[in-house]
């Protein structure tokens, strides 16, 4: 019996959720309906899932949120599946042949024995792009090896106890959260936050951004608006960094943290599959169909995405329903993906609370603590890797 190949590229929040849901529900439905065997191949550049949501606390303290709590082996989450239905490939997708429907995967530092450095060609019948997005800084994403990100986190942890000046570039959630964590743990450090806009947290209403700035100010953090970091390089003196700003000035600091600069991981895809900003075109936003038949996109790499874990979780079941409908499962039909477009973002400022809004409602600081600030949702990380959220269809 011929085996149809479903390939998921990416093993962060979107890729793990999609793989688990398909293995638990979609593939059994497909095999029953079509009398065809299906196998899901998950391609990941790294062996470990990184709970980057918790990075602001982990980089500030090795004790409050230890590294081994935010990095978990991906393989452990898939041991219960039949090898006939699942394969994990550790490697980086380098190119794609849309006519032959194949993906060329090269070994990464994390690949077992580097696979003798031999590229692997993987065919697909269905392709699901869940490659996510990467930051310019190693603190927020994995560049092929989780060990590099761990080293960057440890380097920051080691620098903070003796630092006198810290400069953080980025007025979004990552920058605000990082400033809050550092200020709460190291109140004697002179911490400055660069906001490239006229206010912080531009995804939220101005009043909430102003409240975040006020909280940071009370903790000793200085916020500078309409300023961006243009370049940064070591001075060679006491491990300091000289940062050139967009107004032409420079600052020399003991520690520089870049918390901005997200780009989608789509460089291996055909250019006509991508938007002007290199996100995957989703021809039909409601069904998550991609730019050509049999290709789908989910998460931060997709053109429809607003970013964030909630946006991913809302899309998993509609994506599975669409694929099932496209492959002829009786009774299956594409579900409309109901994206949360109302104001929703929770931003801790230190371990005791923060600011935010949920579905358009501004929430008090204790709700921020309850939802995220107390532990950055690290309790859900094992379940993310194991697919616990998708036990039921």
């Amino acid at each position: 019996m011929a085996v149809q190949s479903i390939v998921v590229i990416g093993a962060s929040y979107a890729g793990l959720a999609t793989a688990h849901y398909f293995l638990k529900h979609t593939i059994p439905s497909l095999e029953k309906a079509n009398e065809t065997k299906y196998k899901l191949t998950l391609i990941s550049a790294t062996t470990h899932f990184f709970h980057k949501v918790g990075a602001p606390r982990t980089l500030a303290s090795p004790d409050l949120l230890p590294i081994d709590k935010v990095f978990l082996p991906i393989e452990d989450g898939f041991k219960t599946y039949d090898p006939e239905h699942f394969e994990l490939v550790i490697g980086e997708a380098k190119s794609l042949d849309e006519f032959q429907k194949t993906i060329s995967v090269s070994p990464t530092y994390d690949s077992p024995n580097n696979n003798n450095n031999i590229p692997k060609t993987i065919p697909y019948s269905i392709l699901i792009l869940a490659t996510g997005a990467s930051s310019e800084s190693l603190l927020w994403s994995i560049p092929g090896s989780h060990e590099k990100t761990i080293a960057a986190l440890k380097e920051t942890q080691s620098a903070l106890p003796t630092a006198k000046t810290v400069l953080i570039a980025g007025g979004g959630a990552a920058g605000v959260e990082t400033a809050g964590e550092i200020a709460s743990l190291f109140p004697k450090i002179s911490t400055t936050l660069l906001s490239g806009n006229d206010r912080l947290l531009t995804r939220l209403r101005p009043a909430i951004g102003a409240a975040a700035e006020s909280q940071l100010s009370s903790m000793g953090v200085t916020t500078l608006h309409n300023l961006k970091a243009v370049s940064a390089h070591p001075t060679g003196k006491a491990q300091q960094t000289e940062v050139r700003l967009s107004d032409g000035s420079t600052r020399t600091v003991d520690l520089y943290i870049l918390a901005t600069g997200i780009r989608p991981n789509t460089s291996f895809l055909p250019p006509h599959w991508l938007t002007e900003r290199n996100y995957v075109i989703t021809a039909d936003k409601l069904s998550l169909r991609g730019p050509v038949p049999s290709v789908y996109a989910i998460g931060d790499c997709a053109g429809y995405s607003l970013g964030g874990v909630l946006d991913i979780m809302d899309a998993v079941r509609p994506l599975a329903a669409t694929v099932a409908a496209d492959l002829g499962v009786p009774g299956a039909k594409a579900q409309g993906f109901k994206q949360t477009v109302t104001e929703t973002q929770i931003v801790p400022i230190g371990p005791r609370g923060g600011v935010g809004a949920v579905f358009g409602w501004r929430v008090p600081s204790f709700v921020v603590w309850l939802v995220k600030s107390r532990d950055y949702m690290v309790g859900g990380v094992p379940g993310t890797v194991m697919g616990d959220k998708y036990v039921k269809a």
Side-chain angles (χ1 to χ4, degrees), residues 338-349:
K338 298 178 181 178
Q339 191 171 39
T340 300
V341 295
T342 52
E343 183 186 37
T344 299
Q345 191 176 42
I346 297 293
V347 183
I349 301 176

Side-chain angles (χ1 to χ4, degrees), residues 175-199:
V176 170
E177 290 171 353
T178 301
E181 294 299 319
I182 291 174
S184 66
L185 288 170
F186 303 96
K188 293 184 179 180
I189 291 179
S190 176
T191 302
T192 301
L193 177 63
L194 297 182
S195 165
N197 294 282
D198 57 3
R199 60 187 179 89

Side-chain angles (χ1 to χ4, degrees), residues 56-68:
R57 182 157 295 165
T58 299
L59 68 83
S61 170
D63 301 316
L64 293 181
L65 190 50
I67 283 174
D68 62 4

Side-chain angles (χ1 to χ4, degrees), residues 46-362:
T46 176
T47 55
H48 283 63
F49 168 73
F50 174 33
H51 180 59
K52 62 182 180 182
V53 170
R57 182 157 295 165
T58 299
L59 68 83
S61 170
D63 301 316
L64 293 181
L65 190 50
I67 283 174
D68 62 4
K69 297 294 185 182
V70 294
F71 287 90
L72 290 183
I74 294 167
E75 185 179 22
D76 289 356
F78 292 88
K79 289 182 176 179
T80 60
Y81 297 115
D82 188 335
E84 291 186 359
H85 283 140
F86 176 75
E87 180 182 6
L88 174 63
V89 174
I90 304 300
E92 183 180 358
K94 286 293 189 179
S95 63
L96 181 146
D97 188 326
E98 63 178 306
F99 302 106
Q100 297 296 322
K101 299 182 78 171
T102 59
I103 305 150
S104 178
V105 179
S106 294
T108 64
Y109 181 85
D110 272 5
S111 301
N113 300 319
N114 284 334
N115 292 335
N116 296 319
N117 294 316
I118 299 175
K120 186 174 186 177
T121 300
I122 298 175
Y124 67 87
S125 305
I126 295 292
L127 176 63
I128 299 171
L129 299 168
T131 52
S134 295
S135 169
E136 295 180 33
S137 169
L138 294 176
L139 294 171
W140 316 108
S141 54
I142 299 178
S145 170
H146 71 288
E147 294 291 351
K148 293 181 180 179
T149 300
I150 289 175
L153 289 166
K154 287 183 175 180
E155 183 179 356
T156 305
Q157 291 172 350
S158 298
L160 281 169
T162 57
K164 295 182 179 179
T165 54
V166 172
L167 181 64
I168 302 166
V176 170
E177 290 171 353
T178 301
E181 294 299 319
I182 291 174
S184 66
L185 288 170
F186 303 96
K188 293 184 179 180
I189 291 179
S190 176
T191 302
T192 301
L193 177 63
L194 297 182
S195 165
N197 294 282
D198 57 3
R199 60 187 179 89
L200 297 176
L201 304 175
T202 55
R203 288 184 58 179
L204 296 170
R205 72 192 74 168
I208 298 179
E213 183 174 350
S214 178
Q215 287 191 33
L216 288 172
S217 179
S218 70
M219 300 167 73
V221 177
T222 299
T223 300
L224 301 178
H225 293 295
N226 297 311
L227 273 179
K228 297 181 179 181
V230 176
S231 64
H233 64 270
T235 64
K237 179 181 178 181
Q239 297 183 333
Q240 290 185 320
T241 301
E242 182 180 271
V243 183
R244 183 169 296 277
L245 306 182
S246 54
D247 64 356
S249 65
T250 60
R251 289 197 172 214
T252 300
V253 294
D254 296 322
L255 180 61
Y256 170 62
I257 297 174
L258 179 62
T260 187
I262 297 296
R263 62 186 183 279
N265 300 318
T266 57
S267 61
F268 67 97
L269 296 174
H272 61 277
W273 285 21
L274 307 177
T275 68
E276 291 182 356
R277 299 179 60 205
N278 293 321
Y279 290 87
V280 180
I281 294 170
T282 40
D284 181 351
K285 174 180 173 180
L286 294 180
S287 67
L288 308 178
R289 294 185 179 97
V292 296
S294 302
V295 174
Y296 306 80
I298 183 172
D300 292 352
C301 71
Y304 76 86
S305 178
L306 297 176
V309 177
L310 179 63
D311 200 66
I312 293 168
M313 298 300 104
D314 287 345
V316 174
R317 288 180 174 86
L319 169 63
T322 298
V323 173
D326 289 350
L327 294 180
V329 173
K333 58 182 180 180
Q335 296 179 7
F337 166 46
K338 298 178 181 178
Q339 191 171 39
T340 300
V341 295
T342 52
E343 183 186 37
T344 299
Q345 191 176 42
I346 297 293
V347 183
I349 301 176
R352 296 182 178 85
V355 300
V358 176
F359 304 129
W361 294 90
R362 185 172 177 174

